[in-house]
Amino acid sequence: NPELVQGYAHGLTPYMSDIAALSTSEKDGDAFGFLDVEQPVDRPVAKGIFSVLSTDPSAYNEFHKSAQTHIVSASYAWADDVKNGVAVQSNDARLLDAQTLKGLVEVGTFEAAKAPGANAEEMYAQHKDAYADAVDLLTTGSSVVPTYGQFAGPGIQAFGILMEDTIL
């Protein structure tokens, strides 16, 4: 049921860190644990979720928009620290989380593009749309990403536009 999936995915932002087993899930205090306890590095369950939800256009946008808000906000928080002279490590958890989610987004998109009747150009357009929607959410302050907080304003918008090619 695409409407059910879309409704679930829209409220998914707080749970994205648990699904992807990000470092932020350790700090959110909820009882929802990692899905890939047996294979935390390979994340087969998370890859499956991204792959399945990527096959429906409306679910794709909502789910990937949630993932992209995490990617952009984690990257922005790290870059903001660097800009402000805060010491950061080369293996900073925020960058590792952003890359983990980027990989899961790519796996989901790739698997959905292999589905019968899928069009690679349309998949890339969906990918770009979800990213643009994520940046818009962060720019307007309509999205709060757990442990990174709420972002709003021209700084996050400019960062999102500049990072689009790198993240996509």
Side-chain angles (χ1 to χ4, degrees), residues 72 76 131-132 134-141 151-164:
V72 173
Y76 182 81
Y131 180 82
V135 172
D136 286 347
L137 275 174
L138 290 170
T139 300
T140 62
F151 301 95
I156 191 75
Q157 182 178 31
F159 181 81
I161 291 168
L162 290 171
M163 293 298 292
E164 181 177 353

PDB file of all heavy atoms in Angstrom, residues 72 76 131-132 134-141 151-164:
ATOM      1  N   VAL A  72      22.901  15.624   4.735  1.00  0.00           N
ATOM      2  CA  VAL A  72      23.232  17.050   4.633  1.00  0.00           C
ATOM      3  C   VAL A  72      23.492  17.646   6.019  1.00  0.00           C
ATOM      4  O   VAL A  72      24.465  18.380   6.202  1.00  0.00           O
ATOM      5  CB  VAL A  72      22.110  17.824   3.901  1.00  0.00           C
ATOM      6  CG1 VAL A  72      22.354  19.329   3.942  1.00  0.00           C
ATOM      7  CG2 VAL A  72      22.001  17.349   2.460  1.00  0.00           C
ATOM      8  N   TYR A  76      26.953  19.186   7.165  1.00  0.00           N
ATOM      9  CA  TYR A  76      26.942  20.609   7.500  1.00  0.00           C
ATOM     10  C   TYR A  76      27.480  20.839   8.911  1.00  0.00           C
ATOM     11  O   TYR A  76      28.270  21.765   9.138  1.00  0.00           O
ATOM     12  CB  TYR A  76      25.524  21.165   7.373  1.00  0.00           C
ATOM     13  CG  TYR A  76      25.424  22.639   7.663  1.00  0.00           C
ATOM     14  CD1 TYR A  76      25.757  23.580   6.691  1.00  0.00           C
ATOM     15  CD2 TYR A  76      24.976  23.099   8.895  1.00  0.00           C
ATOM     16  CE1 TYR A  76      25.663  24.937   6.943  1.00  0.00           C
ATOM     17  CE2 TYR A  76      24.881  24.453   9.160  1.00  0.00           C
ATOM     18  CZ  TYR A  76      25.214  25.371   8.190  1.00  0.00           C
ATOM     19  OH  TYR A  76      25.122  26.711   8.446  1.00  0.00           O
ATOM     20  N   TYR A 131      16.691  14.771  -2.853  1.00  0.00           N
ATOM     21  CA  TYR A 131      17.754  15.602  -2.287  1.00  0.00           C
ATOM     22  C   TYR A 131      17.286  17.058  -2.172  1.00  0.00           C
ATOM     23  O   TYR A 131      17.458  17.690  -1.127  1.00  0.00           O
ATOM     24  CB  TYR A 131      19.023  15.516  -3.142  1.00  0.00           C
ATOM     25  CG  TYR A 131      20.145  16.359  -2.586  1.00  0.00           C
ATOM     26  CD1 TYR A 131      20.941  15.874  -1.559  1.00  0.00           C
ATOM     27  CD2 TYR A 131      20.392  17.638  -3.069  1.00  0.00           C
ATOM     28  CE1 TYR A 131      21.958  16.656  -1.019  1.00  0.00           C
ATOM     29  CE2 TYR A 131      21.402  18.418  -2.539  1.00  0.00           C
ATOM     30  CZ  TYR A 131      22.184  17.919  -1.522  1.00  0.00           C
ATOM     31  OH  TYR A 131      23.181  18.686  -0.981  1.00  0.00           O
ATOM     32  N   ALA A 132      16.687  17.575  -3.238  1.00  0.00           N
ATOM     33  CA  ALA A 132      16.207  18.961  -3.220  1.00  0.00           C
ATOM     34  C   ALA A 132      15.148  19.149  -2.132  1.00  0.00           C
ATOM     35  O   ALA A 132      15.152  20.163  -1.425  1.00  0.00           O
ATOM     36  CB  ALA A 132      15.644  19.346  -4.586  1.00  0.00           C
ATOM     37  N   ALA A 134      14.925  17.451   0.632  1.00  0.00           N
ATOM     38  CA  ALA A 134      15.627  17.404   1.925  1.00  0.00           C
ATOM     39  C   ALA A 134      16.263  18.749   2.244  1.00  0.00           C
ATOM     40  O   ALA A 134      16.146  19.252   3.368  1.00  0.00           O
ATOM     41  CB  ALA A 134      16.687  16.304   1.916  1.00  0.00           C
ATOM     42  N   VAL A 135      16.920  19.352   1.268  1.00  0.00           N
ATOM     43  CA  VAL A 135      17.551  20.657   1.485  1.00  0.00           C
ATOM     44  C   VAL A 135      16.475  21.704   1.785  1.00  0.00           C
ATOM     45  O   VAL A 135      16.650  22.537   2.679  1.00  0.00           O
ATOM     46  CB  VAL A 135      18.425  21.065   0.278  1.00  0.00           C
ATOM     47  CG1 VAL A 135      18.924  22.505   0.413  1.00  0.00           C
ATOM     48  CG2 VAL A 135      19.612  20.115   0.147  1.00  0.00           C
ATOM     49  N   ASP A 136      15.352  21.639   1.076  1.00  0.00           N
ATOM     50  CA  ASP A 136      14.254  22.570   1.345  1.00  0.00           C
ATOM     51  C   ASP A 136      13.729  22.413   2.768  1.00  0.00           C
ATOM     52  O   ASP A 136      13.464  23.408   3.450  1.00  0.00           O
ATOM     53  CB  ASP A 136      13.105  22.364   0.357  1.00  0.00           C
ATOM     54  CG  ASP A 136      13.411  22.894  -1.032  1.00  0.00           C
ATOM     55  OD1 ASP A 136      14.409  23.641  -1.199  1.00  0.00           O
ATOM     56  OD2 ASP A 136      12.671  22.537  -1.969  1.00  0.00           O
ATOM     57  N   LEU A 137      13.562  21.167   3.211  1.00  0.00           N
ATOM     58  CA  LEU A 137      13.101  20.936   4.583  1.00  0.00           C
ATOM     59  C   LEU A 137      14.062  21.533   5.599  1.00  0.00           C
ATOM     60  O   LEU A 137      13.653  22.186   6.563  1.00  0.00           O
ATOM     61  CB  LEU A 137      12.963  19.439   4.860  1.00  0.00           C
ATOM     62  CG  LEU A 137      11.670  18.776   4.454  1.00  0.00           C
ATOM     63  CD1 LEU A 137      11.775  17.265   4.662  1.00  0.00           C
ATOM     64  CD2 LEU A 137      10.502  19.332   5.237  1.00  0.00           C
ATOM     65  N   LEU A 138      15.340  21.307   5.387  1.00  0.00           N
ATOM     66  CA  LEU A 138      16.336  21.844   6.314  1.00  0.00           C
ATOM     67  C   LEU A 138      16.393  23.363   6.253  1.00  0.00           C
ATOM     68  O   LEU A 138      16.554  24.029   7.274  1.00  0.00           O
ATOM     69  CB  LEU A 138      17.712  21.253   6.009  1.00  0.00           C
ATOM     70  CG  LEU A 138      17.873  19.769   6.337  1.00  0.00           C
ATOM     71  CD1 LEU A 138      19.175  19.235   5.764  1.00  0.00           C
ATOM     72  CD2 LEU A 138      17.805  19.537   7.840  1.00  0.00           C
ATOM     73  N   THR A 139      16.236  23.925   5.069  1.00  0.00           N
ATOM     74  CA  THR A 139      16.306  25.377   4.884  1.00  0.00           C
ATOM     75  C   THR A 139      15.164  26.086   5.599  1.00  0.00           C
ATOM     76  O   THR A 139      15.354  27.140   6.193  1.00  0.00           O
ATOM     77  CB  THR A 139      16.284  25.721   3.382  1.00  0.00           C
ATOM     78  OG1 THR A 139      17.418  25.108   2.771  1.00  0.00           O
ATOM     79  CG2 THR A 139      16.340  27.211   3.146  1.00  0.00           C
ATOM     80  N   THR A 140      13.975  25.488   5.545  1.00  0.00           N
ATOM     81  CA  THR A 140      12.809  26.128   6.158  1.00  0.00           C
ATOM     82  C   THR A 140      12.683  25.821   7.642  1.00  0.00           C
ATOM     83  O   THR A 140      11.804  26.348   8.311  1.00  0.00           O
ATOM     84  CB  THR A 140      11.509  25.675   5.463  1.00  0.00           C
ATOM     85  OG1 THR A 140      11.359  24.260   5.625  1.00  0.00           O
ATOM     86  CG2 THR A 140      11.517  26.048   4.002  1.00  0.00           C
ATOM     87  N   GLY A 141      13.548  24.957   8.144  1.00  0.00           N
ATOM     88  CA  GLY A 141      13.467  24.590   9.550  1.00  0.00           C
ATOM     89  C   GLY A 141      12.365  23.599   9.832  1.00  0.00           C
ATOM     90  O   GLY A 141      11.977  23.401  10.977  1.00  0.00           O
ATOM     91  N   PHE A 151      18.019  23.045  11.471  1.00  0.00           N
ATOM     92  CA  PHE A 151      18.773  23.990  10.659  1.00  0.00           C
ATOM     93  C   PHE A 151      17.787  24.840   9.889  1.00  0.00           C
ATOM     94  O   PHE A 151      16.746  24.377   9.472  1.00  0.00           O
ATOM     95  CB  PHE A 151      19.669  23.252   9.656  1.00  0.00           C
ATOM     96  CG  PHE A 151      20.659  22.330  10.305  1.00  0.00           C
ATOM     97  CD1 PHE A 151      20.376  20.992  10.471  1.00  0.00           C
ATOM     98  CD2 PHE A 151      21.867  22.815  10.751  1.00  0.00           C
ATOM     99  CE1 PHE A 151      21.282  20.142  11.066  1.00  0.00           C
ATOM    100  CE2 PHE A 151      22.789  21.980  11.354  1.00  0.00           C
ATOM    101  CZ  PHE A 151      22.499  20.642  11.506  1.00  0.00           C
ATOM    102  N   ALA A 152      18.127  26.068   9.681  1.00  0.00           N
ATOM    103  CA  ALA A 152      17.284  26.934   8.875  1.00  0.00           C
ATOM    104  C   ALA A 152      18.143  28.063   8.322  1.00  0.00           C
ATOM    105  O   ALA A 152      19.146  28.430   8.918  1.00  0.00           O
ATOM    106  CB  ALA A 152      16.145  27.507   9.707  1.00  0.00           C
ATOM    107  N   GLY A 153      17.712  28.583   7.191  1.00  0.00           N
ATOM    108  CA  GLY A 153      18.359  29.761   6.671  1.00  0.00           C
ATOM    109  C   GLY A 153      19.228  29.541   5.459  1.00  0.00           C
ATOM    110  O   GLY A 153      19.363  28.434   4.953  1.00  0.00           O
ATOM    111  N   PRO A 154      19.806  30.637   5.016  1.00  0.00           N
ATOM    112  CA  PRO A 154      20.578  30.597   3.771  1.00  0.00           C
ATOM    113  C   PRO A 154      21.862  29.774   3.878  1.00  0.00           C
ATOM    114  O   PRO A 154      22.342  29.255   2.876  1.00  0.00           O
ATOM    115  CB  PRO A 154      20.891  32.066   3.492  1.00  0.00           C
ATOM    116  CG  PRO A 154      20.721  32.762   4.799  1.00  0.00           C
ATOM    117  CD  PRO A 154      19.726  31.971   5.577  1.00  0.00           C
ATOM    118  N   GLY A 155      22.432  29.624   5.065  1.00  0.00           N
ATOM    119  CA  GLY A 155      23.668  28.854   5.214  1.00  0.00           C
ATOM    120  C   GLY A 155      23.490  27.402   4.816  1.00  0.00           C
ATOM    121  O   GLY A 155      24.273  26.861   4.037  1.00  0.00           O
ATOM    122  N   ILE A 156      22.460  26.760   5.318  1.00  0.00           N
ATOM    123  CA  ILE A 156      22.224  25.349   5.002  1.00  0.00           C
ATOM    124  C   ILE A 156      21.781  25.207   3.550  1.00  0.00           C
ATOM    125  O   ILE A 156      22.138  24.241   2.875  1.00  0.00           O
ATOM    126  CB  ILE A 156      21.216  24.690   5.983  1.00  0.00           C
ATOM    127  CG1 ILE A 156      21.182  23.170   5.805  1.00  0.00           C
ATOM    128  CG2 ILE A 156      19.836  25.251   5.833  1.00  0.00           C
ATOM    129  CD1 ILE A 156      22.356  22.447   6.359  1.00  0.00           C
ATOM    130  N   GLN A 157      21.042  26.185   3.035  1.00  0.00           N
ATOM    131  CA  GLN A 157      20.622  26.129   1.640  1.00  0.00           C
ATOM    132  C   GLN A 157      21.836  26.232   0.716  1.00  0.00           C
ATOM    133  O   GLN A 157      21.979  25.447  -0.226  1.00  0.00           O
ATOM    134  CB  GLN A 157      19.628  27.230   1.317  1.00  0.00           C
ATOM    135  CG  GLN A 157      19.131  27.158  -0.119  1.00  0.00           C
ATOM    136  CD  GLN A 157      18.109  28.225  -0.419  1.00  0.00           C
ATOM    137  OE1 GLN A 157      18.143  29.313   0.140  1.00  0.00           O
ATOM    138  NE2 GLN A 157      17.189  27.908  -1.322  1.00  0.00           N
ATOM    139  N   ALA A 158      22.722  27.175   0.985  1.00  0.00           N
ATOM    140  CA  ALA A 158      23.924  27.331   0.161  1.00  0.00           C
ATOM    141  C   ALA A 158      24.790  26.077   0.248  1.00  0.00           C
ATOM    142  O   ALA A 158      25.302  25.595  -0.765  1.00  0.00           O
ATOM    143  CB  ALA A 158      24.719  28.558   0.607  1.00  0.00           C
ATOM    144  N   PHE A 159      24.932  25.544   1.453  1.00  0.00           N
ATOM    145  CA  PHE A 159      25.716  24.321   1.641  1.00  0.00           C
ATOM    146  C   PHE A 159      25.100  23.180   0.840  1.00  0.00           C
ATOM    147  O   PHE A 159      25.801  22.443   0.146  1.00  0.00           O
ATOM    148  CB  PHE A 159      25.783  23.953   3.128  1.00  0.00           C
ATOM    149  CG  PHE A 159      26.582  22.722   3.412  1.00  0.00           C
ATOM    150  CD1 PHE A 159      27.960  22.772   3.487  1.00  0.00           C
ATOM    151  CD2 PHE A 159      25.944  21.495   3.600  1.00  0.00           C
ATOM    152  CE1 PHE A 159      28.703  21.630   3.747  1.00  0.00           C
ATOM    153  CE2 PHE A 159      26.671  20.351   3.864  1.00  0.00           C
ATOM    154  CZ  PHE A 159      28.059  20.419   3.935  1.00  0.00           C
ATOM    155  N   GLY A 160      23.789  23.019   0.919  1.00  0.00           N
ATOM    156  CA  GLY A 160      23.098  21.957   0.194  1.00  0.00           C
ATOM    157  C   GLY A 160      23.277  22.062  -1.302  1.00  0.00           C
ATOM    158  O   GLY A 160      23.502  21.069  -1.986  1.00  0.00           O
ATOM    159  N   ILE A 161      23.214  23.280  -1.818  1.00  0.00           N
ATOM    160  CA  ILE A 161      23.388  23.487  -3.262  1.00  0.00           C
ATOM    161  C   ILE A 161      24.828  23.174  -3.659  1.00  0.00           C
ATOM    162  O   ILE A 161      25.063  22.507  -4.663  1.00  0.00           O
ATOM    163  CB  ILE A 161      22.993  24.928  -3.647  1.00  0.00           C
ATOM    164  CG1 ILE A 161      21.477  25.102  -3.499  1.00  0.00           C
ATOM    165  CG2 ILE A 161      23.439  25.254  -5.071  1.00  0.00           C
ATOM    166  CD1 ILE A 161      21.003  26.540  -3.562  1.00  0.00           C
ATOM    167  N   LEU A 162      25.780  23.632  -2.867  1.00  0.00           N
ATOM    168  CA  LEU A 162      27.187  23.395  -3.182  1.00  0.00           C
ATOM    169  C   LEU A 162      27.559  21.908  -3.104  1.00  0.00           C
ATOM    170  O   LEU A 162      28.407  21.429  -3.860  1.00  0.00           O
ATOM    171  CB  LEU A 162      28.093  24.186  -2.240  1.00  0.00           C
ATOM    172  CG  LEU A 162      28.099  25.697  -2.443  1.00  0.00           C
ATOM    173  CD1 LEU A 162      28.863  26.376  -1.317  1.00  0.00           C
ATOM    174  CD2 LEU A 162      28.710  26.046  -3.796  1.00  0.00           C
ATOM    175  N   MET A 163      26.928  21.185  -2.201  1.00  0.00           N
ATOM    176  CA  MET A 163      27.273  19.779  -1.985  1.00  0.00           C
ATOM    177  C   MET A 163      26.470  18.815  -2.850  1.00  0.00           C
ATOM    178  O   MET A 163      26.728  17.620  -2.815  1.00  0.00           O
ATOM    179  CB  MET A 163      27.074  19.423  -0.506  1.00  0.00           C
ATOM    180  CG  MET A 163      28.044  20.118   0.433  1.00  0.00           C
ATOM    181  SD  MET A 163      29.747  19.680   0.110  1.00  0.00           S
ATOM    182  CE  MET A 163      29.753  17.971   0.609  1.00  0.00           C
ATOM    183  N   GLU A 164      25.519  19.311  -3.621  1.00  0.00           N
ATOM    184  CA  GLU A 164      24.634  18.429  -4.390  1.00  0.00           C
ATOM    185  C   GLU A 164      25.405  17.437  -5.246  1.00  0.00           C
ATOM    186  O   GLU A 164      25.144  16.233  -5.192  1.00  0.00           O
ATOM    187  CB  GLU A 164      23.686  19.236  -5.262  1.00  0.00           C
ATOM    188  CG  GLU A 164      22.749  18.364  -6.062  1.00  0.00           C
ATOM    189  CD  GLU A 164      21.745  19.149  -6.878  1.00  0.00           C
ATOM    190  OE1 GLU A 164      21.667  20.385  -6.733  1.00  0.00           O
ATOM    191  OE2 GLU A 164      21.045  18.526  -7.675  1.00  0.00           O
TER     192      GLU A 164
END
